[in-house]
Amino acid sequence: MSSTPPGGQRTLQKRRQAQNVKDKQLKQTPASTRQAGHGGSSSSILKIYTDEANGLRVDPLVVLFLAVAFIFSVVAMHVISKVTGKLF
Amino acid sequence: MKLKNRQYYSSSIRFKGIYSIYQRNKSHWSGTVSQRMSGRLLDLFKPFEAYLPEVIAPQRKVPYNQKLIWTGVSLLIFLVLGQMPLYGIVSSETSDPLYWLRAMLASNRGTLMELGVSPIITSSMIFQFLQGTQLLQVDVQNKHDRELFQIAQKVCAIVLTFGQAVVVVLSGNYGKPGDLGIAISLLLIFQLMFASFIVLLLDELSSKGYGLGSGISLFTATNIAEQIFWKAFAPTTVNSGRGKEFEGAMIAFFHLLAVRKDKKRALVEAFYRSNLPNMFQVIATVFVFLFVLYLQGFRYELPIRSTKVRGQIGTYPIKLFYTSNTPIMLQAALTSNIFLISQILYQKFPSNPVIRLLGVWGVKPGQPGPQQALSGLAYYIQPPTSVKEIPLDPIKTVIYVAFVLGVCALFSKTWIEVSGTSPRDIAKQFKEQGMVINGKRETSVYRELKKIIPTAAAFGGATIGALSVCSDFLGTLGSGTSILMATTTIYGYYEMAAKEGGFSKNFIAGVSELM
């Protein structure tokens, strides 16, 4: 490891790069699939924009619970109809 | 909190922004009434803004492992939804008019995934084409406009879900609505709607950044992969007169080799049986899969350099599959819609000459399976099932190949305009980022890109079409289109994972050398 003194050109460059990255992130969210990270081609037919709208905000865990609860309720309906069919 | 403030701020200055845009484009907008109307079309969806559920975007970057877990969990939920039968069905044994669409839309008959991703795909396609044709004036730079655009898409998806659910139930897919009763019919509609709603949320969750990428394409690819896997390894048996036969190709292969005394004949039967999936199809599938993976690596690398930061040089890759699987998806959607309409019309009016010109449907003698087009326009664009069909009707083959290749190339070229990846857009992005082509003038970026991108897109589209035709002729498990879609999606995911740094460096280097 060669020891370079702190400061100087390299530090400036690093700072500038960090600032650039920060600027880019502060700027708006990607406006196309390409900017969203699919370099060189549009890989997907769906979803051009992935912005946040200020609607009814849902946590992803809530979505999971909703889905599982729904599946269980459908299973329960099947089971109940089977059991009542057997009993009566 | 900070985010919220900014949003309020942006909405307050929004009017000014739109007004200034209006001022600028006044001469353009006042041209036709329809254009001004559509400017307001997007604003129609504003009242829904507050009520639509929206998955919160992650505050910071989600780590790779967590992304994998989220993707896996949402996939699991989707697969369970795809196997769970609907409650209240009497029967679902009537002939299936949507047979051609099933694989593409990730839907399973008689399950909670009856609608699959079709409402979401349809609404997204409608809106993207509206935007591509400039009927819907969306200012891409304006955040609020983009939000409205998304909300409009979602509202449209929900309305479509409701419509399709009602149609599916009322059209007697599950037995006559009168026999089912109102309560069960409503329950069926509710189940279908809620299941599609969950898929919508799961897709959003995935594409917001919790998962690896778009949920829809993942669901579709998984569904196709599941079908291929099932055809290769199905443990179910079929008895067609000469004893029990395994449905899965691989299982039947080993079973025949183990049980039969005459190994040679057993081998021949395992490879060439025509009523069930055979080993030759498995091999063809693997071959097509590997060949598509090989073609995925083809790219034109444009040397670029930055004018803002001196010394930054890199390459801008333009892939052969520039539009990925979009053209083949659109082509499949187009043909399946033609088939659907033609089939319905033929059932209603079997003797109308115009409708007979569009397509005459029936079951081929000696071939089981769904109805096929026997003559007419639909016959010529119907994918062939094997190489045997080439000499039987060479004219049909030529027309079919020309049609698929031409349509794919055309769709591909149109798609780059619609999706904002046309040479003009890319040149604009280059300019914004201060990138120029190494060894070329700054002003000639557009000209250079124009030489490369449309050609790449058209040729890539034609290649995708050719691959699809080839795999149909080879008789792969599942249709050629679906295999292509699955492969391109999986490769896209692999690329994304590689970019995220999920694999070790050595692995990527090894694979890319292989490619």
Side-chain angles (χ1 to χ4, degrees):
Chain A
M1 286 289 280
S2 62
S3 59
T4 45
Q9 193 108 37
R10 201 171 281 179
T11 315
L12 277 180
Q13 205 174 1
K14 265 185 192 158
R15 273 186 197 157
R16 209 183 303 139
Q17 267 176 4
Q19 188 62 39
N20 264 347
V21 170
K22 223 179 188 176
D23 280 348
K24 220 177 256 174
Q25 278 172 354
L26 271 180
K27 257 196 208 164
Q28 290 189 323
T29 35
S32 73
T33 41
R34 213 199 71 74
Q35 277 172 327
H38 307 290
S41 59
S42 56
S43 87
S44 166
I45 184 169
L46 304 153
K47 289 284 148 82
I48 289 196
Y49 309 120
T50 49
D51 276 324
E52 179 114 352
N54 38 353
L56 187 69
R57 283 147 161 261
V58 186
D59 195 80
L61 272 177
V62 174
V63 177
L64 282 195
F65 284 128
L66 259 181
V68 172
F70 174 63
I71 290 169
F72 268 102
S73 67
V74 174
V75 172
M77 280 199 291
H78 278 293
V79 170
I80 287 168
S81 74
K82 265 270 156 61
V83 169
T84 50
K86 277 264 156 55
L87 285 183
F88 307 113
Chain B
M1 278 318 286
K2 213 173 176 186
L3 203 80
K4 264 218 160 123
N5 278 336
R6 221 169 67 204
Q7 275 166 354
Y8 280 126
Y9 178 66
S10 72
S11 69
S12 69
I13 61 162
R14 202 183 126 262
F15 280 106
K16 236 192 226 165
I18 280 184
Y19 187 68
S20 67
I21 289 167
Y22 178 66
Q23 286 286 337
R24 240 189 297 146
N25 293 345
K26 207 172 182 182
S27 56
H28 178 62
W29 280 15
S30 55
T32 56
V33 180
S34 70
Q35 270 178 333
R36 231 192 297 167
M37 282 291 288
S38 53
R40 278 185 231 126
L41 196 66
L42 211 54
D43 287 336
L44 278 182
F45 293 98
K46 217 191 289 175
F48 296 105
E49 204 174 351
Y51 304 109
L52 275 182
E54 169 103 12
V55 179
I56 309 170
Q59 295 287 324
R60 56 194 71 191
K61 207 168 174 311
V62 180
Y64 179 73
N65 285 342
Q66 273 184 36
K67 279 193 179 185
L68 271 190
I69 293 170
W70 276 116
T71 311
V73 168
S74 54
L75 208 53
L76 197 71
I77 288 175
F78 176 80
L79 288 174
V80 171
L81 284 177
Q83 295 299 324
M84 183 70 55
L86 283 158
Y87 173 76
I89 306 182
V90 176
S91 73
S92 58
E93 297 301 314
T94 50
S95 79
D96 186 2
L98 288 174
Y99 173 79
W100 304 94
L101 277 166
R102 294 271 171 211
M104 209 184 74
L105 299 175
S107 75
N108 282 330
R109 195 109 202 276
T111 66
L112 289 172
M113 270 299 99
E114 173 79 48
L115 302 180
V117 295
S118 66
I120 309 172
I121 286 195
T122 314
S123 92
S124 143
M125 269 166 123
I126 289 173
F127 274 89
Q128 281 179 31
F129 278 111
L130 280 180
Q131 194 209 6
T133 50
Q134 303 288 319
L135 281 170
L136 210 63
Q137 301 254 343
V138 188
D139 181 14
V140 187
Q141 304 301 321
N142 190 337
K143 193 165 186 292
H144 195 266
D145 258 27
R146 292 203 305 251
E147 282 168 18
L148 267 184
F149 185 76
Q150 246 183 318
I151 285 162
Q153 267 192 12
K154 219 188 274 178
V155 169
C156 181
I158 290 170
V159 170
L160 275 173
T161 310
F162 180 68
Q164 287 190 357
V166 169
V167 166
V168 163
V169 172
L170 287 191
S171 67
N173 229 338
Y174 307 127
K176 284 207 178 89
D179 298 345
L180 290 174
I182 296 174
I184 292 287
S185 294
L186 284 179
L187 204 60
L188 277 172
I189 291 175
F190 170 76
Q191 286 176 65
L192 289 174
M193 276 197 69
F194 203 84
S196 288
F197 192 62
I198 282 175
V199 170
L200 185 84
L201 284 177
L202 281 179
D203 168 53
E204 192 176 303
L205 184 151
S206 217
S207 55
K208 271 274 167 71
Y210 293 98
L212 280 170
S214 156
I216 298 289
S217 49
L218 182 68
F219 295 155
T220 317
T222 311
N223 208 36
I224 294 164
E226 187 196 335
Q227 279 171 19
I228 292 173
F229 201 77
W230 179 257
K231 277 182 182 158
F233 295 101
T236 50
T237 52
V238 180
N239 196 344
S240 56
R242 35 174 204 175
K244 277 183 181 172
E245 279 182 288
F246 279 101
E247 214 181 322
M250 296 289 272
I251 293 195
F253 172 68
F254 286 117
H255 176 248
L256 285 173
L257 274 191
V259 172
R260 291 277 170 86
K261 281 217 179 75
D262 191 349
K263 305 295 178 201
K264 214 163 137 195
R265 282 178 64 185
L267 212 61
V268 170
E269 189 180 335
F271 266 86
Y272 291 106
R273 60 179 190 170
S274 58
N275 52 341
L276 292 167
N278 56 38
M279 279 306 288
F280 186 72
Q281 287 178 317
V282 174
I283 292 169
T285 310
V286 171
F287 173 73
V288 169
F289 186 77
L290 291 178
F291 190 61
V292 173
L293 281 188
Y294 174 66
L295 283 183
Q296 289 276 6
F298 282 36
R299 61 168 78 92
Y300 186 93
E301 286 191 339
L302 213 57
I304 52 169
R305 126 186 105 76
S306 173
T307 50
K308 279 186 186 156
V309 184
R310 285 287 163 95
Q312 241 190 30
I313 50 169
T315 52
Y316 185 82
I318 294 169
K319 289 200 294 186
L320 172 64
F321 293 150
Y322 191 71
T323 45
S324 191
N325 55 13
T326 309
I328 199 75
M329 248 172 115
L330 293 175
Q331 190 263 346
L334 176 75
T335 45
S336 48
N337 276 317
I338 293 177
F339 290 156
L340 195 65
I341 293 167
S342 168
Q343 238 174 328
I344 290 171
L345 284 176
Y346 183 73
Q347 273 164 15
K348 287 270 173 213
F349 316 100
S351 56
N352 188 317
V354 178
I355 286 161
R356 287 185 80 87
L357 197 70
L358 197 62
V360 175
W361 294 81
V363 182
K364 251 187 203 168
Q367 267 192 11
Q371 284 201 328
Q372 287 182 319
L374 298 178
S375 66
L377 180 70
Y379 170 71
Y380 285 97
I381 58 174
Q382 178 175 264
T385 47
S386 67
V387 195
K388 269 184 274 174
E389 281 187 23
I390 300 178
L392 281 181
D393 196 346
I395 300 172
K396 185 228 156 148
T397 312
V398 169
I399 292 178
Y400 172 73
V401 170
F403 169 75
V404 172
L405 262 63
V407 163
C408 282
L410 199 75
F411 276 152
S412 190
K413 276 193 90 165
T414 318
W415 182 250
I416 58 171
E417 300 294 333
V418 174
S419 65
T421 47
S422 63
R424 195 176 297 280
D425 297 314
I426 305 286
K428 215 168 87 190
Q429 278 169 19
F430 269 39
K431 196 164 187 188
E432 277 164 11
Q433 290 163 4
M435 295 290 189
V436 289
I437 299 172
N438 217 354
K440 292 278 186 325
R441 283 169 197 275
E442 202 174 335
T443 46
S444 64
V445 170
Y446 172 61
R447 213 175 335 132
E448 287 293 319
L449 286 175
K450 210 176 141 195
K451 265 191 245 165
I452 300 162
I453 288 180
T455 319
F459 187 60
T463 313
I464 282 267
L467 276 170
S468 161
V469 171
C470 282
S471 46
D472 273 333
F473 278 131
L474 279 176
T476 48
L477 300 169
S479 70
T481 313
S482 54
I483 286 183
L484 275 180
M485 268 168 55
T487 313
T488 41
T489 308
I490 292 166
Y491 188 80
Y493 265 80
Y494 161 73
E495 263 186 334
M496 226 175 298
K499 205 183 275 172
E500 295 265 334
F503 299 113
S504 68
K505 272 245 166 65
N506 288 330
F507 180 64
I508 300 173
V511 170
S512 56
E513 266 166 31
L514 230 164
M515 290 290 150

